[in-house]
Every structure is written in C-alpha cells, then in structure tokens.
Amino acid sequence: MCSSEKICFRLRTIKKIDKTINDLVNRGVFATPTIIVNDRLVYMTNSYEELSRLLEYELQ
C-alpha cells in the first residue's frame, strides 16, 4: 500500500511506462526515431528522401 496519493500516482505511472517500453521492445522497437509503416519497422532512415520513397512505395 502507498503512503500517499502522490506516491501511488508515481508508482502507477512508472508501471505504465515500464509496460509501454516492454511492449515496444517485444515488437522490435529499440531505437528512436522508429516509424511503423504497414507493420514494417523503420528505424534507420538517414534522410527525408529515403523516408519519402518508403512512404510512396507503401502507399501504392
């Protein structure tokens, strides 16, 4: 049990953050920025042009 509402709130927040991080790692997200396009992880884009080409390809 928490000793105060503030501590309880912080503990709940930490648990939510941990769950989110674990969910992302389980999906393969391990770097920022990571973009998901049609269930494909894109995390090594070096340029706007490269990302633009990928998006155009995926939208066809």
Side-chain angles (χ1 to χ4, degrees):
M1 183 122 193
C2 302
S3 60
S4 76
E5 184 58 35
K6 193 175 196 179
I7 292 172
C8 290
F9 175 77
R10 287 182 180 170
L11 290 173
R12 285 192 306 269
T13 302
I14 289 169
K15 286 180 183 180
K16 288 178 185 179
I17 292 169
D18 282 344
K19 182 183 180 327
T20 300
I21 290 170
N22 288 331
D23 290 346
L24 291 170
V25 169
N26 287 335
R27 286 204 65 191
V29 176
F30 57 89
T32 57
T34 297
I35 302 167
I36 302 172
V37 179
N38 290 340
D39 279 337
R40 283 182 52 192
L41 296 178
V42 181
Y43 53 88
M44 297 298 276
T45 57
N46 293 324
S47 68
Y48 172 82
E49 291 78 17
E50 184 179 341
L51 182 56
S52 181
R53 281 193 302 272
L54 173 66
L55 291 172
E56 287 295 327
Y57 174 79
E58 291 294 332
L59 290 172
Q60 294 177 0

mmCIF file of all heavy atoms in Angstrom, residues 21-51:
data_model
loop_
_atom_site.group_PDB
_atom_site.id
_atom_site.type_symbol
_atom_site.label_atom_id
_atom_site.label_comp_id
_atom_site.label_asym_id
_atom_site.label_seq_id
_atom_site.Cartn_x
_atom_site.Cartn_y
_atom_site.Cartn_z
ATOM 1 N N ILE A 21 7.280 0.378 -22.561
ATOM 2 C CA ILE A 21 8.630 0.068 -23.036
ATOM 3 C C ILE A 21 8.745 -1.415 -23.374
ATOM 4 O O ILE A 21 9.266 -1.790 -24.432
ATOM 5 C CB ILE A 21 9.685 0.501 -22.004
ATOM 6 C CG1 ILE A 21 9.753 2.027 -21.937
ATOM 7 C CG2 ILE A 21 11.053 -0.096 -22.344
ATOM 8 C CD1 ILE A 21 10.587 2.555 -20.792
ATOM 9 N N ASN A 22 8.254 -2.275 -22.504
ATOM 10 C CA ASN A 22 8.305 -3.718 -22.761
ATOM 11 C C ASN A 22 7.517 -4.097 -24.007
ATOM 12 O O ASN A 22 7.966 -4.935 -24.805
ATOM 13 C CB ASN A 22 7.807 -4.502 -21.546
ATOM 14 C CG ASN A 22 8.787 -4.466 -20.401
ATOM 15 O OD1 ASN A 22 9.995 -4.354 -20.605
ATOM 16 N ND2 ASN A 22 8.287 -4.539 -19.185
ATOM 17 N N ASP A 23 6.350 -3.505 -24.193
ATOM 18 C CA ASP A 23 5.550 -3.776 -25.395
ATOM 19 C C ASP A 23 6.298 -3.371 -26.658
ATOM 20 O O ASP A 23 6.298 -4.088 -27.656
ATOM 21 C CB ASP A 23 4.201 -3.044 -25.334
ATOM 22 C CG ASP A 23 3.261 -3.614 -24.283
ATOM 23 O OD1 ASP A 23 3.521 -4.725 -23.767
ATOM 24 O OD2 ASP A 23 2.260 -2.936 -23.967
ATOM 25 N N LEU A 24 6.943 -2.207 -26.618
ATOM 26 C CA LEU A 24 7.690 -1.737 -27.788
ATOM 27 C C LEU A 24 8.888 -2.635 -28.083
ATOM 28 O O LEU A 24 9.141 -2.994 -29.243
ATOM 29 C CB LEU A 24 8.147 -0.294 -27.572
ATOM 30 C CG LEU A 24 7.029 0.740 -27.561
ATOM 31 C CD1 LEU A 24 7.572 2.086 -27.098
ATOM 32 C CD2 LEU A 24 6.375 0.858 -28.915
ATOM 33 N N VAL A 25 9.614 -3.020 -27.058
ATOM 34 C CA VAL A 25 10.765 -3.909 -27.248
ATOM 35 C C VAL A 25 10.298 -5.250 -27.805
ATOM 36 O O VAL A 25 10.930 -5.807 -28.710
ATOM 37 C CB VAL A 25 11.546 -4.082 -25.926
ATOM 38 C CG1 VAL A 25 12.571 -5.207 -26.035
ATOM 39 C CG2 VAL A 25 12.223 -2.778 -25.537
ATOM 40 N N ASN A 26 9.183 -5.759 -27.324
ATOM 41 C CA ASN A 26 8.645 -7.021 -27.840
ATOM 42 C C ASN A 26 8.264 -6.925 -29.313
ATOM 43 O O ASN A 26 8.308 -7.919 -30.028
ATOM 44 C CB ASN A 26 7.439 -7.481 -27.013
ATOM 45 C CG ASN A 26 7.846 -7.993 -25.656
ATOM 46 O OD1 ASN A 26 8.970 -8.436 -25.446
ATOM 47 N ND2 ASN A 26 6.935 -7.920 -24.702
ATOM 48 N N ARG A 27 7.897 -5.732 -29.772
ATOM 49 C CA ARG A 27 7.582 -5.525 -31.197
ATOM 50 C C ARG A 27 8.831 -5.274 -32.029
ATOM 51 O O ARG A 27 8.771 -5.194 -33.244
ATOM 52 C CB ARG A 27 6.642 -4.330 -31.368
ATOM 53 C CG ARG A 27 5.237 -4.660 -30.920
ATOM 54 C CD ARG A 27 4.221 -3.798 -31.571
ATOM 55 N NE ARG A 27 4.170 -4.016 -33.007
ATOM 56 C CZ ARG A 27 3.511 -3.247 -33.839
ATOM 57 N NH1 ARG A 27 2.853 -2.213 -33.395
ATOM 58 N NH2 ARG A 27 3.504 -3.501 -35.120
ATOM 59 N N GLY A 28 9.972 -5.097 -31.377
ATOM 60 C CA GLY A 28 11.209 -4.882 -32.106
ATOM 61 C C GLY A 28 11.666 -3.434 -32.144
ATOM 62 O O GLY A 28 12.638 -3.114 -32.818
ATOM 63 N N VAL A 29 10.965 -2.582 -31.448
ATOM 64 C CA VAL A 29 11.342 -1.171 -31.422
ATOM 65 C C VAL A 29 12.435 -0.989 -30.372
ATOM 66 O O VAL A 29 12.231 -1.263 -29.202
ATOM 67 C CB VAL A 29 10.128 -0.272 -31.088
ATOM 68 C CG1 VAL A 29 10.551 1.177 -30.962
ATOM 69 C CG2 VAL A 29 9.041 -0.433 -32.125
ATOM 70 N N PHE A 30 13.598 -0.567 -30.831
ATOM 71 C CA PHE A 30 14.699 -0.393 -29.893
ATOM 72 C C PHE A 30 15.521 0.854 -30.159
ATOM 73 O O PHE A 30 16.564 1.060 -29.537
ATOM 74 C CB PHE A 30 15.618 -1.619 -29.901
ATOM 75 C CG PHE A 30 16.177 -1.934 -31.256
ATOM 76 C CD1 PHE A 30 17.359 -1.376 -31.669
ATOM 77 C CD2 PHE A 30 15.504 -2.782 -32.113
ATOM 78 C CE1 PHE A 30 17.875 -1.656 -32.917
ATOM 79 C CE2 PHE A 30 16.012 -3.068 -33.352
ATOM 80 C CZ PHE A 30 17.199 -2.511 -33.752
ATOM 81 N N ALA A 31 15.067 1.684 -31.068
ATOM 82 C CA ALA A 31 15.797 2.907 -31.382
ATOM 83 C C ALA A 31 14.802 4.028 -31.650
ATOM 84 O O ALA A 31 13.650 3.781 -31.972
ATOM 85 C CB ALA A 31 16.671 2.701 -32.607
ATOM 86 N N THR A 32 15.265 5.244 -31.498
ATOM 87 C CA THR A 32 14.433 6.388 -31.843
ATOM 88 C C THR A 32 15.161 7.217 -32.889
ATOM 89 O O THR A 32 16.386 7.324 -32.834
ATOM 90 C CB THR A 32 14.142 7.275 -30.615
ATOM 91 O OG1 THR A 32 15.367 7.691 -30.039
ATOM 92 C CG2 THR A 32 13.312 6.534 -29.603
ATOM 93 N N PRO A 33 14.491 7.759 -33.833
ATOM 94 C CA PRO A 33 13.050 7.556 -34.032
ATOM 95 C C PRO A 33 12.793 6.225 -34.715
ATOM 96 O O PRO A 33 13.612 5.741 -35.485
ATOM 97 C CB PRO A 33 12.654 8.701 -34.951
ATOM 98 C CG PRO A 33 13.881 8.979 -35.745
ATOM 99 C CD PRO A 33 15.039 8.695 -34.815
ATOM 100 N N THR A 34 11.675 5.629 -34.402
ATOM 101 C CA THR A 34 11.200 4.430 -35.093
ATOM 102 C C THR A 34 9.830 4.751 -35.648
ATOM 103 O O THR A 34 8.980 5.285 -34.947
ATOM 104 C CB THR A 34 11.106 3.226 -34.143
ATOM 105 O OG1 THR A 34 12.411 2.921 -33.658
ATOM 106 C CG2 THR A 34 10.532 2.011 -34.848
ATOM 107 N N ILE A 35 9.646 4.420 -36.900
ATOM 108 C CA ILE A 35 8.364 4.666 -37.566
ATOM 109 C C ILE A 35 7.822 3.315 -37.999
ATOM 110 O O ILE A 35 8.568 2.486 -38.511
ATOM 111 C CB ILE A 35 8.554 5.588 -38.782
ATOM 112 C CG1 ILE A 35 9.176 6.917 -38.329
ATOM 113 C CG2 ILE A 35 7.240 5.809 -39.516
ATOM 114 C CD1 ILE A 35 9.691 7.765 -39.455
ATOM 115 N N ILE A 36 6.536 3.093 -37.804
ATOM 116 C CA ILE A 36 5.899 1.853 -38.233
ATOM 117 C C ILE A 36 5.008 2.185 -39.420
ATOM 118 O O ILE A 36 4.091 2.995 -39.317
ATOM 119 C CB ILE A 36 5.086 1.217 -37.092
ATOM 120 C CG1 ILE A 36 5.998 0.941 -35.889
ATOM 121 C CG2 ILE A 36 4.392 -0.057 -37.578
ATOM 122 C CD1 ILE A 36 5.272 0.497 -34.642
ATOM 123 N N VAL A 37 5.313 1.567 -40.565
ATOM 124 C CA VAL A 37 4.549 1.777 -41.790
ATOM 125 C C VAL A 37 4.054 0.416 -42.250
ATOM 126 O O VAL A 37 4.855 -0.458 -42.584
ATOM 127 C CB VAL A 37 5.418 2.425 -42.897
ATOM 128 C CG1 VAL A 37 4.609 2.618 -44.163
ATOM 129 C CG2 VAL A 37 6.014 3.735 -42.419
ATOM 130 N N ASN A 38 2.740 0.233 -42.249
ATOM 131 C CA ASN A 38 2.144 -1.045 -42.646
ATOM 132 C C ASN A 38 2.803 -2.224 -41.935
ATOM 133 O O ASN A 38 3.169 -3.222 -42.532
ATOM 134 C CB ASN A 38 2.220 -1.232 -44.163
ATOM 135 C CG ASN A 38 1.305 -0.296 -44.902
ATOM 136 O OD1 ASN A 38 0.356 0.234 -44.332
ATOM 137 N ND2 ASN A 38 1.575 -0.070 -46.164
ATOM 138 N N ASP A 39 2.959 -2.102 -40.635
ATOM 139 C CA ASP A 39 3.566 -3.124 -39.777
ATOM 140 C C ASP A 39 5.040 -3.384 -40.056
ATOM 141 O O ASP A 39 5.593 -4.372 -39.607
ATOM 142 C CB ASP A 39 2.787 -4.437 -39.830
ATOM 143 C CG ASP A 39 1.569 -4.421 -38.926
ATOM 144 O OD1 ASP A 39 1.554 -3.635 -37.967
ATOM 145 O OD2 ASP A 39 0.644 -5.199 -39.162
ATOM 146 N N ARG A 40 5.690 -2.507 -40.813
ATOM 147 C CA ARG A 40 7.141 -2.590 -41.016
ATOM 148 C C ARG A 40 7.806 -1.547 -40.137
ATOM 149 O O ARG A 40 7.402 -0.397 -40.113
ATOM 150 C CB ARG A 40 7.506 -2.296 -42.476
ATOM 151 C CG ARG A 40 7.246 -3.435 -43.413
ATOM 152 C CD ARG A 40 7.663 -3.126 -44.820
ATOM 153 N NE ARG A 40 9.039 -2.638 -44.878
ATOM 154 C CZ ARG A 40 9.577 -2.087 -45.942
ATOM 155 N NH1 ARG A 40 8.865 -1.941 -47.041
ATOM 156 N NH2 ARG A 40 10.815 -1.677 -45.949
ATOM 157 N N LEU A 41 8.825 -1.987 -39.416
ATOM 158 C CA LEU A 41 9.564 -1.055 -38.569
ATOM 159 C C LEU A 41 10.618 -0.352 -39.398
ATOM 160 O O LEU A 41 11.375 -0.973 -40.126
ATOM 161 C CB LEU A 41 10.253 -1.801 -37.422
ATOM 162 C CG LEU A 41 9.333 -2.499 -36.432
ATOM 163 C CD1 LEU A 41 10.152 -3.226 -35.379
ATOM 164 C CD2 LEU A 41 8.404 -1.510 -35.767
ATOM 165 N N VAL A 42 10.650 0.960 -39.294
ATOM 166 C CA VAL A 42 11.627 1.778 -39.993
ATOM 167 C C VAL A 42 12.374 2.575 -38.936
ATOM 168 O O VAL A 42 11.822 3.461 -38.312
ATOM 169 C CB VAL A 42 10.939 2.739 -40.992
ATOM 170 C CG1 VAL A 42 11.964 3.571 -41.725
ATOM 171 C CG2 VAL A 42 10.044 1.974 -41.944
ATOM 172 N N TYR A 43 13.636 2.238 -38.721
ATOM 173 C CA TYR A 43 14.372 2.937 -37.679
ATOM 174 C C TYR A 43 15.738 3.415 -38.123
ATOM 175 O O TYR A 43 16.436 4.073 -37.375
ATOM 176 C CB TYR A 43 14.523 2.069 -36.427
ATOM 177 C CG TYR A 43 15.117 0.714 -36.682
ATOM 178 C CD1 TYR A 43 16.485 0.523 -36.670
ATOM 179 C CD2 TYR A 43 14.305 -0.374 -36.934
ATOM 180 C CE1 TYR A 43 17.033 -0.706 -36.907
ATOM 181 C CE2 TYR A 43 14.841 -1.606 -37.172
ATOM 182 C CZ TYR A 43 16.203 -1.783 -37.152
ATOM 183 O OH TYR A 43 16.738 -3.008 -37.399
ATOM 184 N N MET A 44 16.107 3.113 -39.344
ATOM 185 C CA MET A 44 17.429 3.521 -39.813
ATOM 186 C C MET A 44 17.323 4.448 -41.019
ATOM 187 O O MET A 44 18.092 4.338 -41.955
ATOM 188 C CB MET A 44 18.264 2.287 -40.168
ATOM 189 C CG MET A 44 18.533 1.379 -38.990
ATOM 190 S SD MET A 44 19.466 2.154 -37.684
ATOM 191 C CE MET A 44 21.115 1.925 -38.268
ATOM 192 N N THR A 45 16.360 5.337 -41.013
ATOM 193 C CA THR A 45 16.245 6.278 -42.116
ATOM 194 C C THR A 45 17.290 7.363 -41.956
ATOM 195 O O THR A 45 17.453 7.933 -40.886
ATOM 196 C CB THR A 45 14.847 6.913 -42.183
ATOM 197 O OG1 THR A 45 14.584 7.540 -40.947
ATOM 198 C CG2 THR A 45 13.795 5.894 -42.498
ATOM 199 N N ASN A 46 18.009 7.611 -43.025
ATOM 200 C CA ASN A 46 19.065 8.614 -42.971
ATOM 201 C C ASN A 46 18.653 9.955 -43.543
ATOM 202 O O ASN A 46 19.349 10.935 -43.378
ATOM 203 C CB ASN A 46 20.304 8.104 -43.717
ATOM 204 C CG ASN A 46 20.914 6.926 -42.999
ATOM 205 O OD1 ASN A 46 20.916 6.876 -41.781
ATOM 206 N ND2 ASN A 46 21.415 5.974 -43.751
ATOM 207 N N SER A 47 17.515 9.966 -44.243
ATOM 208 C CA SER A 47 17.158 11.219 -44.893
ATOM 209 C C SER A 47 15.653 11.314 -45.112
ATOM 210 O O SER A 47 14.931 10.315 -45.110
ATOM 211 C CB SER A 47 17.871 11.312 -46.241
ATOM 212 O OG SER A 47 17.341 10.348 -47.131
ATOM 213 N N TYR A 48 15.233 12.520 -45.338
ATOM 214 C CA TYR A 48 13.837 12.777 -45.678
ATOM 215 C C TYR A 48 13.482 12.066 -46.977
ATOM 216 O O TYR A 48 12.408 11.482 -47.112
ATOM 217 C CB TYR A 48 13.608 14.284 -45.796
ATOM 218 C CG TYR A 48 12.246 14.632 -46.341
ATOM 219 C CD1 TYR A 48 11.135 14.649 -45.508
ATOM 220 C CD2 TYR A 48 12.078 14.925 -47.685
ATOM 221 C CE1 TYR A 48 9.882 14.952 -45.999
ATOM 222 C CE2 TYR A 48 10.826 15.233 -48.187
ATOM 223 C CZ TYR A 48 9.730 15.238 -47.350
ATOM 224 O OH TYR A 48 8.498 15.533 -47.839
ATOM 225 N N GLU A 49 14.392 12.098 -47.948
ATOM 226 C CA GLU A 49 14.134 11.490 -49.252
ATOM 227 C C GLU A 49 13.926 9.981 -49.126
ATOM 228 O O GLU A 49 13.040 9.413 -49.754
ATOM 229 C CB GLU A 49 15.288 11.782 -50.220
ATOM 230 C CG GLU A 49 15.383 13.233 -50.648
ATOM 231 C CD GLU A 49 16.024 14.138 -49.602
ATOM 232 O OE1 GLU A 49 16.684 13.636 -48.663
ATOM 233 O OE2 GLU A 49 15.833 15.360 -49.709
ATOM 234 N N GLU A 50 14.737 9.333 -48.305
ATOM 235 C CA GLU A 50 14.602 7.889 -48.102
ATOM 236 C C GLU A 50 13.251 7.555 -47.478
ATOM 237 O O GLU A 50 12.554 6.640 -47.919
ATOM 238 C CB GLU A 50 15.737 7.400 -47.206
ATOM 239 C CG GLU A 50 15.756 5.913 -46.998
ATOM 240 C CD GLU A 50 16.912 5.482 -46.111
ATOM 241 O OE1 GLU A 50 17.881 6.241 -45.940
ATOM 242 O OE2 GLU A 50 16.818 4.369 -45.582
ATOM 243 N N LEU A 51 12.858 8.301 -46.481
ATOM 244 C CA LEU A 51 11.569 8.080 -45.840
ATOM 245 C C LEU A 51 10.425 8.373 -46.801
ATOM 246 O O LEU A 51 9.443 7.632 -46.865
ATOM 247 C CB LEU A 51 11.441 8.949 -44.589
ATOM 248 C CG LEU A 51 10.161 8.791 -43.786
ATOM 249 C CD1 LEU A 51 9.937 7.353 -43.365
ATOM 250 C CD2 LEU A 51 10.186 9.705 -42.578
#
